[in-house]
């Protein structure tokens, strides 16, 4: 069972939902008793409306044409998967319930309910807040940023553990970058039989990659003046890290 940590300066539910939607490359559609997986087939408007591009002979298209207008008839599911290999890679799931309307050769989805599930719990997102929210500015670059940090700068990840309390690091065998957004960086702490997450908030929001670089330098500077956590040292001495 994972640890419980409070997230400082974390995205609001509507922003988090829009970020999942913006970064997702695939979606699963459940409609008329069936389920289909679509990869690279959807786009998203500024207000969060999903447009799904399906073949002309798609059963989903036929069902949308025949379905009563305005009646919830489909559920779209999007999974937020951590780009760095860690345990429990699904960071969040987003469900949109509503109906499709054929529109200019594709299907426009009208959502009547938005549900976001995260490790911290499941929340129903207000539709107006969802439409008004913007995705995190780092959402579409996050995968590349995290994989680069994990693959090219493992020393920096190790240094950042100096900002984590010794209790959270007790028994740790591996620490990996799990998520990053304009408000902070999240590290996944893995133990022999459990894992937990720790949030390292930025001193100010980062609205682009350039600002993110500065925020990371601030965290690393803070880490350089902190003492090395004994718990992680002990695991490395034992040969587990």
């Amino acid at each position: 069972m994972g640890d419980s940590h409070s997230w400082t300066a974390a995205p609001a539910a509507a922003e988090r939902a829009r970020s999942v939607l913006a970064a997702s490359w695939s979606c699963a559609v459940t409609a008329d008793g069936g389920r289909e997986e679509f990869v690279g087939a959807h786009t998203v408007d500024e207000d969060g409306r999903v447009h799904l591009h399906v073949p002309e002979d798609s059963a989903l298209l036929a069902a949308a044409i025949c379905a009563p207008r305005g009646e919830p008839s489909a559920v779209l599911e999007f999974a937020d998967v951590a780009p760095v290999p860690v345990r429990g890679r699904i960071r969040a799931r987003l469900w949109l319930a509503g109906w499709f309307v054929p529109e200019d050769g594709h299907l426009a989805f009208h959502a009547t309910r938005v549900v976001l599930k995260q490790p911290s719990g499941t929340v129903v997102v207000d539709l107006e807040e969802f439409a008004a929210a913007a995705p995190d500015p780092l959402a579409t670059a996050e995968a590349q940023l995290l994989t680069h940090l994990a693959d090219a700068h493992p020393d920096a990840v190790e240094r950042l553990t100096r900002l984590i309390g010794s209790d959270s690091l007790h028994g740790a065998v591996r620490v990996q970058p799990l998520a990053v957004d304009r408000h902070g960086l999240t590290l996944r702490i893995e133990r022999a039989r459990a894992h937990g997450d720790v949030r390292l908030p930025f001193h100010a929001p980062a609205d682009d990659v350039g600002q993110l670089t500065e925020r990371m330098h601030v965290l690393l500077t803070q880490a350089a003046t902190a003492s090395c956590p004994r718990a992680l040292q002990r695991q490395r001495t034992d040969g587990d890290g």
Side-chain angles (χ1 to χ4, degrees):
M1 184 174 180
D3 293 342
S4 175
H5 295 278
S6 60
W7 281 44
T8 305
E15 180 183 352
R16 184 74 182 92
R18 289 295 302 272
S19 297
V20 172
L21 192 59
S24 294
W25 179 244
S26 64
C27 72
V29 179
T30 302
D32 197 27
R35 179 181 172 92
E36 292 186 70
E37 299 277 348
F38 294 91
V39 178
H42 73 276
T43 56
V44 185
D45 283 349
E46 289 187 2
D47 63 357
R49 180 174 295 182
V50 176
H51 297 264
L52 188 63
H53 302 266
V54 299
E56 293 183 358
D57 59 352
S58 169
L60 183 60
L61 179 59
I65 294 174
C66 298
R69 185 64 58 90
E71 291 188 9
S73 58
V75 175
L76 277 58
E77 179 181 344
F78 301 87
D80 176 32
V81 182
V84 176
V86 292
R87 296 178 191 156
R89 293 185 69 175
I90 303 297
R91 303 180 299 185
R93 290 188 185 276
L94 177 68
W95 290 277
L96 307 181
W99 73 91
F100 283 110
V101 174
E103 183 179 291
D104 298 330
H106 65 270
L107 295 175
F109 190 74
H110 294 253
T112 58
R113 186 176 176 87
V114 177
V115 178
L116 175 69
K117 181 180 180 181
Q118 301 183 98
S120 58
T122 302
V123 60
V124 177
V125 181
D126 180 83
L127 291 176
E128 291 186 1
E129 293 179 1
F130 178 77
D136 185 273
L138 303 175
T140 56
E142 183 195 23
Q144 181 178 355
L145 292 168
L146 289 180
T147 53
H148 178 74
L149 177 60
D151 295 341
H153 302 285
D155 55 326
V157 177
E158 178 182 344
R159 201 179 320 156
L160 289 171
T161 62
R162 299 182 180 185
L163 299 176
I164 301 174
S166 58
D167 290 345
S168 295
L169 282 174
H170 181 71
V173 297
R174 188 173 72 153
V175 178
Q176 289 277 53
L178 176 71
V180 68
D181 54 62
R182 66 193 299 262
H183 301 289
L185 173 72
T186 301
L187 299 179
R188 166 64 54 84
I189 303 171
E190 295 184 347
R191 302 177 181 82
R193 297 181 179 84
H195 62 267
D197 302 334
V198 172
R199 179 82 166 178
L200 300 179
F202 299 142
H203 66 87
D207 292 327
D208 54 43
V209 175
Q211 291 184 3
L212 172 65
T213 300
E214 187 274 337
R215 306 300 188 263
M216 290 295 297
H217 282 164
V218 170
L219 286 181
L220 289 169
T221 298
Q222 294 172 348
T225 62
S227 59
C228 188
R230 295 179 181 177
L232 201 59
Q233 280 187 323
R234 182 168 62 252
Q235 290 298 324
R236 253 184 225 104
T237 302
D238 293 342
D240 293 328

